[in-house]
Amino acid sequence: MNTLLSKLGVTEATLSSTEKAFLAENGYLNLGKLLSDEQLASIQQRLKELMDEEGENSGSELMDSPYIRHPKEEGADRLADLVNKGVAFDVFYTHPRVLAAMAEVLGEEFKLSSLNYRAAKPGKGLQKLHVDWHEAVAADDFKVCNSIWLLDDFSEENGATRIVPGTHLTGEMPQEVLADPLATHPKEVLIEAPAGSVFIFNSHTWHGGTNNRTEQPRRAIHSYFCRRDQPQQIDQKRYIQSETLERIHPMARVILDV
């Protein structure tokens, strides 16, 4: 393991051999509950404050990036640039198990691309099966990888994310081979787990949100990573604040590429 990752607590044993094999074969992995109930409460409170403060401008940073494919969604609340919006969000791009999983998918030379909040509104949230890259890639050339941090229990009822295991290895784009990418796929699995859980998914694996049939938003934070030779969705050098630089671990600055 390289020096950067080891200084952030990552070792060869941070993920088990079984976890590594499952991620490689299926394109996703349940890391279990990584957030305590106290952390969850703090994060949820801070997000509420941010939504109240930013109002109609929430997520405006997404509009400023040429590398975000869907900056505004009618069916979801969004916040962006969480790196600079509170100490509670530092864990999302420094947790050793998340970093270890990113290294498995992207190799050890990677960086944070963006750290955003997405909440599927009641009656909304259905997405086409898609990948987070503009073209198919070879199985040894993955460019991007995401993590979903569940801030609510994810269930079929509230629009849990769906993933089609193994599709990262096919070299196919869902819109090119599926008659209807909005339709239920016979091999899709739903991410159903308690709040505080974290799922990794290789972003070249077909995935998408499902419809939230409850009366409450279904909340999550995505810490999205890319290889170091790729552009970030949010230009961290442009947005980084001095107080953030002073607060975070020196090696975390490298993860942010600032």
Side-chain angles (χ1 to χ4, degrees):
M1 192 61 62
N2 69 24
T3 302
L4 164 63
L5 296 181
S6 66
K7 286 185 176 180
L8 288 170
V10 181
T11 72
E12 292 296 338
T14 300
L15 294 182
S16 70
S17 58
T18 300
E19 288 175 320
K20 293 175 183 178
F22 188 95
L23 177 58
E25 178 181 352
N26 294 283
Y28 76 99
L29 178 65
N30 181 0
L31 292 181
K33 193 173 187 297
L34 300 187
L35 295 176
S36 68
D37 292 341
E38 291 76 18
Q39 283 176 299
L40 269 174
S42 175
I43 291 162
Q44 291 164 349
Q45 177 60 33
R46 181 60 182 143
L47 290 168
K48 182 180 183 303
E49 293 170 357
L50 289 169
M51 289 298 299
D52 291 341
E53 291 169 9
E54 298 187 18
E56 292 297 318
N57 293 321
S58 62
S60 61
E61 298 92 342
L62 303 175
M63 299 294 293
D64 197 33
S65 172
Y67 303 111
I68 295 180
R69 297 172 62 196
H70 306 292
K72 281 291 186 180
E73 294 178 81
E74 184 271 334
D77 290 325
R78 300 294 296 265
L79 288 166
D81 188 34
L82 295 180
V83 166
N84 291 301
K85 296 181 179 178
V87 66
F89 303 119
D90 293 351
V91 66
F92 291 91
Y93 60 94
T94 60
H95 196 288
R97 279 178 59 77
V98 170
L99 297 179
M102 294 301 155
E104 286 297 310
V105 174
L106 301 175
E108 295 184 354
E109 295 297 319
F110 63 86
K111 60 189 175 183
L112 183 76
S113 183
S114 59
L115 183 60
N116 301 327
Y117 166 74
R118 179 179 183 271
K121 297 177 182 178
K124 306 289 184 177
L126 180 63
Q127 296 175 316
K128 294 178 180 179
L129 285 171
H130 62 279
V131 299
D132 296 332
W133 197 248
H134 59 276
E135 62 184 0
V137 301
D140 61 350
D141 193 30
F142 300 127
K143 312 288 189 182
V144 284
C145 189
N146 212 339
S147 60
I148 308 178
W149 298 68
L150 282 55
L151 303 183
D152 295 298
D153 297 345
F154 269 36
S155 66
E156 181 178 357
E157 289 73 27
N158 71 0
T161 304
R162 55 183 176 146
I163 294 178
V164 185
T167 45
H168 61 305
L169 303 174
T170 65
E172 296 178 324
M173 301 286 277
Q175 68 270 23
E176 295 174 355
V177 298
L178 297 179
D180 182 7
L182 277 172
T184 301
H185 192 284
K187 294 184 179 179
E188 73 183 35
V189 297
L190 288 179
I191 290 178
E192 294 187 275
S197 301
V198 180
F199 278 74
I200 301 298
F201 68 91
N202 182 322
S203 296
H204 302 275
T205 308
W206 301 359
H207 64 278
T210 60
N211 197 44
N212 180 1
R213 304 195 302 271
T214 72
E215 298 300 315
Q216 300 296 323
R218 194 265 295 142
R219 301 169 295 176
I221 285 179
H222 292 184
S223 51
Y224 181 62
F225 293 79
C226 62
R227 283 192 342 205
R228 293 195 77 82
D229 60 354
Q230 300 301 319
Q232 295 162 311
Q233 284 190 332
I234 295 292
D235 184 349
Q236 303 295 336
K237 287 187 177 74
R238 176 183 172 189
Y239 280 95
I240 198 70
Q241 297 176 7
S242 57
E243 62 186 51
T244 304
L245 284 174
E246 292 170 3
R247 182 185 72 240
I248 62 177
H249 192 288
M251 294 300 102
R253 300 177 192 173
V254 183
I255 294 291
L256 294 176
D257 195 25
V258 296

